[in-house]
Amino acid sequence: MEIGPGTRAFVTGASRGIGRALAQELAARGAVVGLAARNEQELAELAASLPGSHHVLACDVSDDEAVRAAIDGFVAQAGGLDLLVANAGITHYGPFRDQPLEHARRMTDINWYGTLYTVHHGLPHLLDAAHGHIVVVSSGAALRSFPWAAVYGATKAAQRMFAEALRHELSGTGVSLTTVFPGEIATSLHDHEKATMPDWYRGGPDAAPAPDLARRIVEAVEQDRRGLAFPSIVRLLGVLHNLSPRASDAFLRVLRGGTAAPRRD
């Protein structure tokens, strides 16, 4: 599917990070973007900074009815839907035994149920038109999860398996799907927990730039790619882990130290 002037794209988590970078890339190509996130002020500021006319849609993706209203409202205003991006996500890193269950619930509600609600309410519009594309932004943690990210990795693995199956289900409908597996990207995702991040973490401002990932996502949609791992080491780690978890553990210990994979069985 070619993305250009007139493409109607709905993006969750659009106010920051990957979602913001993707909204900017889409707008630069002439797309009309539905900017969905919880912070309406940030969305309004983003919309004002983008070329073209776009739609601000205050929406908590953990609220099924709010997602439905946002998508239906965008479709009504834009006259249809071509690209649906389930990107909104949060994280709370830390040892599972010390983690409040509320953190686990919130990650599940936003990362997993938010994806489910977004696709559930957006897909009928695409199928009715027999045209369009879905992007599910999962994580490298869906390919190989790390200590202190057990629940986060679980929510991202749920997205991965859902998206992989759905891509097959959509065969012959005119609608397709790409799953994205970002590694460490320079965003504000961990700003609330910088002081407590595990020592194997290598993110922050020196991580891969979000605009570079956004460009790659658009290319992946246009090429109808099954999946996109970025940076490339994410794909390498996923392949290695599928072949031999012990080998991927050893590889991680070399790259990130013993805390990235402390057991040796």
Side-chain angles (χ1 to χ4, degrees):
M1 184 184 89
E2 184 177 352
I3 296 176
T7 298
R8 299 157 299 188
F10 179 91
V11 181
T12 67
S15 61
R16 301 180 184 180
I18 295 170
R20 183 183 185 91
L22 184 55
Q24 291 169 331
E25 180 68 20
L26 292 167
R29 291 169 176 255
V32 176
V33 187
L35 305 165
R38 287 174 289 176
N39 192 316
E40 190 169 3
Q41 180 177 345
E42 289 183 352
L43 291 177
E45 291 171 356
L46 173 60
S49 73
L50 298 176
S53 179
H54 307 283
H55 303 277
V56 171
L57 303 155
C59 173
D60 182 344
V61 297
S62 68
D63 182 334
D64 177 23
E65 177 56 27
V67 174
R68 184 201 63 75
I71 292 176
D72 288 353
F74 174 69
V75 170
Q77 295 175 70
L81 179 66
D82 304 296
L83 177 63
L84 179 70
V85 182
N87 162 75
I90 63 166
T91 182
H92 292 285
Y93 275 22
F96 177 70
R97 66 180 180 275
D98 300 330
Q99 203 168 52
L101 275 179
E102 179 55 32
H103 286 180
R105 290 192 188 99
R106 195 63 180 150
M107 282 187 281
T108 301
D109 286 344
I110 293 176
N111 300 357
W112 167 228
Y113 281 111
T115 296
L116 201 64
Y117 298 152
T118 300
V119 177
H120 177 78
H121 293 299
L123 181 57
H125 295 290
L126 301 176
L127 291 175
D128 286 348
H131 162 81
H133 204 97
I134 298 168
V135 173
V136 173
V137 180
S138 179
S139 169
L143 304 175
R144 205 292 184 184
S145 195
F146 285 70
W148 287 36
V151 176
Y152 177 74
T155 64
K156 293 298 173 176
Q159 288 177 304
R160 173 193 173 187
M161 295 304 172
F162 168 71
E164 287 183 356
L166 186 57
R167 179 178 167 93
H168 286 289
E169 290 183 26
L170 294 173
S171 177
T173 65
V175 181
S176 196
L177 185 151
T178 298
T179 311
V180 181
F181 302 101
E184 289 160 337
I185 308 296
T187 70
S188 60
L189 181 65
H190 297 287
D191 280 3
H192 64 287
E193 55 187 3
K194 284 181 177 178
T196 59
M197 290 298 288
D199 59 10
W200 51 257
Y201 179 67
R202 300 289 189 276
D206 296 327
D212 289 356
L213 173 58
R215 286 190 291 272
R216 294 287 299 275
I217 291 173
V218 170
E219 292 170 1
V221 170
E222 292 185 328
Q223 297 164 7
D224 191 19
R225 292 180 55 182
R226 177 194 296 255
L228 166 66
F230 180 85
S232 56
I233 194 160
V234 175
R235 181 177 182 276
L236 174 61
L237 184 59
V239 170
L240 185 59
H241 188 68
N242 283 338
L243 292 173
S244 169
R246 290 185 66 184
S248 71
D249 287 348
F251 182 57
L252 281 173
R253 284 192 287 268
V254 171
L255 286 180
R256 300 297 176 88
T259 59
R263 291 190 65 139
R264 294 175 179 267
D265 53 1

